[in-house]
Amino acid sequence: MSNLGTVLNVQRFTLHDGPGIRTEFFLKGCPLRCDWCGNPESFNRHIEVGVFQNKCISNTSCGSCIEVCPAPDMLIFTDSTLNQVTRDQCTACLACSEDCPSEAIRQWGDSMSVEQCMTLIRKDKGFYQRSGGGVTISGGEPLLQANFVLELFSKCQQEGIHTCLESSFFANWNRIERLLPVTDLFISDIKLMDSQRHKTHTGVDNRKILNNLKALATTDKAIILRIPVIPHVNDDDDNIHATADFIINEMGSKVQALQLLSFMRLGEEKYQSLGLPYKMQDLQFDRISFQRRVSDIADYFNSRGIHCTVGTKESNG
């Protein structure tokens, strides 16, 4: 087993990803590239730096990053402020982020041991006990770090702490199967039912995902499904009807709830910090009409006997 995980973020006292008050660990690394993802800093598994040009003091009045960087030629300046780094040369030594006085250079991700995670978790055990909460691991895609998840969840269950895994389910089944004994609740998206459309908008087809969901439905595990509803991408009747058919015919009563997550324009500054394009930049839609459409979709699922709510979440990857 691996005792170290690459953790993007830890959020305590969360309420959205599982029952009760929870501590949530977001792991780095994801095999999908969803057009609408608000967390591009989760794409790569390795620790990296993000550059926020609007916070840079300038290389003439500051220049601390130049002084500490082992390869300062890879620092790219525009109008005297740091714009980006040459990422194929950056070793993520993090000297620049540690020394930057204006936080224009941010460290995305950190290595944490299972015991470090458990130290944080134990601080909140009283809140879990009073609220029916626990620990959630999300991403990125946590199944890329399945050994770390297995060890952390095993520790949690030894101490009577509820565990929840939020995953895209784009992984080999054996990774999921190993986690079944230590995971109380699984949360997964259903983004698009048509395999080719799924690949167009996420970078991968959905056959492995759907097969894994069908396999999970044969176990005794609790399941919550989510649809990140994206205007002009997956909010059409054909996709919604096909999704309902799949849930009813292939998963049945094992799905506790279906949550609709309305698209929000998130993460643009983070894309810029990584030198990546934001694919939803040109998306145009009327917010009021879209919210009405999301409500209609929820009504449709409920009319088919699928308990559906319009949920909230800080990001929808």
Side-chain angles (χ1 to χ4, degrees):
M1 289 188 183
S2 171
N3 194 42
L4 288 176
T6 308
V7 179
L8 178 63
N9 190 20
V10 182
Q11 292 183 3
R12 297 170 65 193
F13 311 113
T14 64
L15 298 171
H16 301 307
D17 297 330
I21 297 172
R22 311 191 70 79
T23 303
E24 186 159 10
F25 295 84
F26 296 85
L27 305 189
K28 266 180 76 63
C30 184
L32 277 65
R33 293 294 181 269
C34 301
D35 291 346
W36 54 87
C37 182
N39 298 302
E41 72 279 19
S42 71
F43 289 168
N44 295 319
R45 182 169 172 178
H46 59 268
I47 297 168
E48 54 194 334
V49 297
V51 178
F52 294 84
Q53 186 176 7
N54 62 333
K55 295 184 178 181
C56 180
I57 297 172
S58 88
N59 60 353
T60 54
S61 58
C62 177
S64 64
C65 56
I66 299 174
E67 296 175 5
V68 300
C69 180
D73 289 344
M74 73 180 179
L75 300 172
I76 303 169
F77 289 85
T78 303
D79 298 327
S80 299
T81 57
L82 184 63
N83 180 40
Q84 207 37 259
V85 299
T86 307
R87 295 191 175 273
D88 58 356
Q89 298 177 28
C90 180
T91 61
C93 70
L94 306 176
C96 58
S97 65
E98 293 169 358
D99 211 55
C100 179
S102 64
E103 298 184 344
I105 307 173
R106 178 172 176 177
Q107 176 181 338
W108 292 125
D110 202 356
S111 292
M112 291 186 69
S113 69
V114 167
E115 195 51 44
Q116 283 176 311
C117 295
M118 289 303 302
T119 298
L120 288 176
I121 290 166
R122 291 179 184 121
K123 292 180 180 180
D124 297 333
K125 285 183 71 173
F127 294 103
Y128 309 151
Q129 292 165 356
R130 288 192 291 271
S131 69
V135 172
T136 297
I137 297 184
S138 184
E141 176 46 69
L143 291 174
L144 292 180
Q145 302 186 53
N147 287 340
F148 177 77
V149 176
L150 177 61
E151 190 169 350
L152 182 56
F153 274 5
S154 296
K155 293 277 189 181
C156 287
Q157 295 231 319
Q158 288 169 14
E159 299 188 22
I161 299 170
H162 182 276
T163 56
C164 171
L165 181 73
E166 183 178 17
S167 169
S168 72
F169 272 60
F170 186 78
N172 291 334
W173 172 251
N174 65 335
R175 288 182 176 238
I176 302 165
E177 191 172 34
R178 292 173 59 216
L179 296 175
L180 292 177
V182 295
T183 307
D184 296 308
L185 171 66
F186 287 88
I187 300 175
S188 181
D189 285 353
I190 294 187
K191 305 175 194 293
L192 280 153
M193 289 305 299
D194 180 82
S195 184
Q196 186 54 53
R197 289 174 63 191
H198 194 282
K199 187 172 184 177
T200 297
H201 291 287
T202 72
V204 302
D205 70 43
N206 64 0
R207 288 172 292 184
K208 182 177 289 187
I209 295 169
L210 297 181
N211 285 336
N212 284 335
L213 289 175
K214 288 191 286 186
L216 185 64
T218 66
T219 71
D220 61 352
K221 294 300 174 178
I223 307 167
I224 292 176
L225 295 179
R226 288 173 168 167
I227 301 176
V229 184
I230 316 300
H232 315 308
V233 174
N234 67 347
D235 60 342
D236 57 282
D237 284 346
D238 286 348
N239 181 65
I240 298 305
H241 295 171
T243 304
D245 291 341
F246 175 82
I247 294 172
I248 293 168
N249 297 329
E250 303 293 348
M251 302 191 71
S253 60
K254 295 300 179 65
V255 177
Q256 288 189 344
L258 174 65
Q259 299 172 348
L260 306 184
L261 305 179
S262 301
F263 170 75
M264 298 180 66
R265 197 182 296 275
L266 297 172
E268 292 183 68
E269 189 178 29
K270 292 189 285 186
Y271 277 89
Q272 293 171 6
S273 83
L274 292 161
L276 297 173
Y278 181 62
K279 295 181 181 179
M280 307 304 282
Q281 181 69 45
D282 298 326
L283 178 66
Q284 300 291 327
F285 66 101
D286 179 76
R287 172 62 62 179
I288 295 175
S289 298
F290 176 60
Q291 288 303 119
R292 190 179 302 118
R293 173 58 179 161
V294 173
S295 180
D296 290 342
I297 292 172
D299 289 343
Y300 170 76
F301 280 115
N302 280 305
S303 74
R304 296 283 305 270
I306 301 168
H307 175 57
C308 182
T309 61
V310 178
T312 58
K313 188 170 167 63
E314 294 173 4
S315 63
N316 39 23

